[in-house]
Amino acid sequence: MSIASTPTSNDACLSIVHSLMCHRQGGESETFAKRAIESLVKKLKEKKDELDSLITAITTNGAHPSKCVTIQRTLDGRLQVAGRKGFPHVIYARLWRWPDLHKNELKHVKYCQFAFDLKCDSVCVNPYHYERVVSPGIDLSGLTLTGSGPNSAQIIKDEYDFDGPQSLPSVDGGHSLQTIQHPPSSSCPAPAEPFPAPSMLPPTEASTSVFFISLFLNLSGKNHPFFLWPVHNELPFQPPISNHPAPDYWCSIAYFEMDVQVGETFKVPSSCPVVTVDGYVDPSGGDRFCLGQLSNVHRTEAIERARLHIGKGVQLECKGEGDVWVRCLSDHAVFVQSYYLDREAGRAPGDAVHKIYPSAYIKVFDLRQCHRQMQQQAATAQAAAAAQAAAVAGNIPGPGSVGGIAPAISLSAAAGIGVDDLRRLCILRMSFVKGWGPDYPRQSIKETPCWIEIHLHRALQLLDEVLHTMPIADPQPLD
């Protein structure tokens, strides 16, 4: 569309949306893009100068200077469009500039007054007020991007070539990128401990450190839960979330082939914060879960081939009170379902699969974030249940309500948050060699040949505490 025919803020929303749709980069479906643009245009209709700035920025590809284009910041900082949540500046930057953008690759320009990172009440979503930078710890030098027009969205090739180890990703045209890639950094060092932990110091220094920590916190006795996680805590003086003693085992790992569990669940003692899951055959246990020793009479040739490529597998590390990091030791990528990584990428929980490349070392679980999510969902369920009960009793009349019935129906979903919904927050799933999701032939992890499910015990302990605060629904009679 030429500049002469470019709409202004005085034109109808439909005309403005149509014009802006012509400049999208194709990283999202047409339906999602239209919903996102319509939502933005409607929000800006009363702010004509900002709407004109958006139109100018998009239709000129940033050739002309433009002002901030702002929307109200939400409580969690994310914007919901067509049932998906994401950070607003990332959503619109993907739509109009970089369809394969990762959240951590955006940096605002100096003259942007309402950039997302400035934590203002309003958020600037002008894509030309942000620059793309390589995020720390992610090496994109191995990526090959082809095309820059509407058909340049990315699809990932299948997982492995049996003739050799897996290289970093090359991508070609296809539909929207659903698998988020995590290549290794150039050196992949483990994060340095900011302070030496007491048990890692010489005896005199260790006892002195413990004494001063106790004095600082006005504690006495080694049985206080603060002393349960001194060695691997990234923040040594951060008090624990709960006073409940640490579990005997920090996680349990179940191994599956397709939808069948093979072998017994492997429990990892809290005394072993680092555990390796590999494809070898050592049966002694301890800090290694060797999948090669497990037999399955129903194992297919395809599963057997995939198992051959597990190799050195992965290393899981529990840090602090319950954060989890993963290091890929295998020659082939592993694929992870992680609500923490979903949030970091600006995706809704369960909306993405994360491809972790060989040698990559990445955080996949944050205990405090998980605990906050538990509390938020429990509070939502409590409020919804109370409002639902009041609405059924007719105490909350509202538009379209008939004796309070309509509001009760609208609240039923929130009130129905249950144990399984919250338990999923405490679980990681990881597939070896083969991926799943829209970018692969397999739509579920249960269709992959070899995968593990990791239950995080400290998180489950915290969930148990949270569950005691949730309302107990009236039992329904069984027919």
Side-chain angles (χ1 to χ4, degrees):
M1 181 178 291
S2 66
I3 299 300
S5 60
T6 298
T8 69
S9 58
N10 293 319
D11 289 304
C13 287
L14 188 62
S15 299
I16 300 172
V17 170
H18 176 74
S19 174
L20 298 179
M21 282 285 288
C22 293
H23 294 270
R24 67 188 182 92
Q25 293 300 302
E28 300 285 0
S29 68
E30 182 175 353
T31 301
F32 179 87
K34 187 175 182 181
R35 293 278 293 277
I37 295 172
E38 284 176 344
S39 172
L40 180 57
V41 170
K42 289 177 181 177
K43 286 183 173 72
L44 298 175
K45 201 59 178 165
E46 301 303 319
K47 298 188 285 186
K48 293 185 180 297
D49 57 335
E50 293 189 22
L51 182 53
D52 282 325
S53 289
L54 175 69
I55 295 170
T56 298
I58 301 305
T59 58
T60 65
N61 295 323
H64 296 285
S66 55
K67 297 190 299 184
C68 285
V69 177
T70 62
I71 62 174
Q72 187 72 22
R73 180 185 290 269
T74 60
L75 288 176
D76 67 353
R78 296 186 295 166
L79 178 70
Q80 182 161 322
V81 177
R84 281 172 45 189
K85 273 195 169 185
F87 295 103
H89 63 310
V90 177
I91 290 175
Y92 293 107
R94 281 179 184 150
L95 278 180
W96 284 310
R97 295 195 70 183
W98 306 288
D100 59 332
L101 178 72
H102 186 276
K103 173 184 76 81
N104 294 330
E105 295 171 1
L106 281 185
K107 178 183 178 182
H108 65 271
V109 296
K110 292 182 179 179
Y111 52 82
C112 183
Q113 298 177 334
F114 297 95
F116 182 83
D117 292 335
L118 298 181
K119 307 295 184 184
C120 301
D121 290 339
S122 296
V123 178
C124 178
V125 295
N126 186 337
Y128 292 94
H129 278 204
Y130 295 88
E131 297 171 343
R132 187 175 189 179
V133 296
V134 176
S135 57
I138 296 184
D139 177 12
L140 299 183
S141 61
L143 293 177
T144 304
L145 304 180
T146 60
S148 59
N151 295 323
S152 64
Q154 313 303 325
I155 185 172
I156 299 176
K157 292 182 177 180
D158 209 348
E159 302 80 344
Y160 55 65
D161 177 354
F162 283 117
D163 294 331
Q166 182 165 332
S167 62
L168 287 177
S170 64
V171 289
D172 29 58
H175 61 273
S176 173
L177 182 67
Q178 297 293 325
T179 303
I180 298 173
Q181 306 176 65
H182 301 272
S185 63
S186 55
S187 58
C188 254
E193 295 285 349
F195 300 99
S199 62
M200 302 296 287
L201 296 170
T204 303
E205 294 181 38
S207 58
T208 304
S209 297
V210 171
F211 169 75
F212 281 112
I213 291 172
S214 301
L215 184 63
F216 176 77
L217 293 173
N218 194 25
L219 303 175
S220 60
K222 294 184 179 179
N223 292 326
H224 192 281
F226 175 82
F227 291 97
L228 297 173
W229 308 278
V231 178
H232 297 271
N233 204 334
E234 291 179 277
L235 298 171
F237 302 122
Q238 193 172 29
I241 298 172
S242 168
N243 290 328
H244 198 286
D248 294 333
Y249 301 92
W250 71 265
C251 79
S252 54
I253 308 170
Y255 169 65
F256 293 83
E257 293 176 359
M258 307 295 279
D259 60 350
V260 176
Q261 181 173 348
V262 177
E264 297 182 358
T265 299
F266 184 87
K267 293 184 177 181
V268 184
S270 294
S271 58
C272 294
V274 179
V275 62
T276 302
V277 183
D278 59 39
Y280 303 129
V281 295
D282 188 344
S284 57
D287 62 352
R288 279 182 67 195
F289 184 20
C290 295
L291 305 180
Q293 61 163 321
L294 302 177
S295 59
N296 178 10
V297 294
H298 302 294
R299 184 172 294 152
T300 65
E301 183 179 348
I303 294 174
E304 190 62 61
R305 284 207 320 272
R307 279 168 52 83
L308 291 174
H309 291 266
I310 296 174
K312 295 179 181 179
V314 295
Q315 196 174 69
L316 305 173
E317 182 177 2
C318 180
K319 297 171 73 71
E321 190 179 349
D323 295 352
V324 180
W325 291 66
V326 168
R327 187 187 300 275
C328 181
L329 305 176
S330 173
D331 290 334
H332 300 282
V334 293
F335 298 81
V336 178
Q337 183 181 71
S338 160
Y339 287 0
Y340 168 76
L341 289 178
D342 291 344
R343 187 180 181 88
E344 288 296 293
R347 298 291 183 124
D351 192 43
V353 178
H354 300 268
K355 186 174 185 179
I356 301 179
Y357 282 84
S359 301
Y361 179 72
I362 188 169
K363 185 177 183 177
V364 294
F365 182 80
D366 185 287
L367 184 68
R368 290 184 182 273
Q369 183 194 90
C370 176
H371 187 239
R372 285 194 298 269
Q373 287 180 281
M374 292 176 192
Q375 291 177 314
Q376 289 168 359
Q377 289 195 26
T380 299
Q382 281 181 312
Q388 185 182 41
V392 170
N395 294 333
I396 308 181
S401 67
V402 180
I405 297 300
I409 294 173
S410 65
L411 292 166
S412 60
I417 294 175
V419 176
D420 286 342
D421 299 298
L422 295 169
R423 193 170 60 88
R424 292 188 189 99
L425 299 174
C426 312
I427 295 173
L428 296 169
R429 285 177 163 184
M430 183 183 305
S431 171
F432 294 96
V433 187
K434 290 283 190 178
W436 78 95
D439 298 317
Y440 299 98
R442 298 159 295 279
Q443 297 306 301
S444 163
I445 194 172
K446 293 183 179 181
E447 297 175 31
T448 62
C450 40
W451 58 280
I452 56 175
E453 184 171 86
I454 305 151
H455 291 241
L456 303 172
H457 291 194
R458 184 60 174 171
L460 288 167
Q461 275 188 340
L462 298 179
L463 172 58
D464 188 67
E465 293 181 7
V466 170
L467 286 174
H468 282 86
T469 70
M470 292 185 65
I472 300 175
D474 293 331
Q476 300 296 318
L478 296 176
D479 293 331

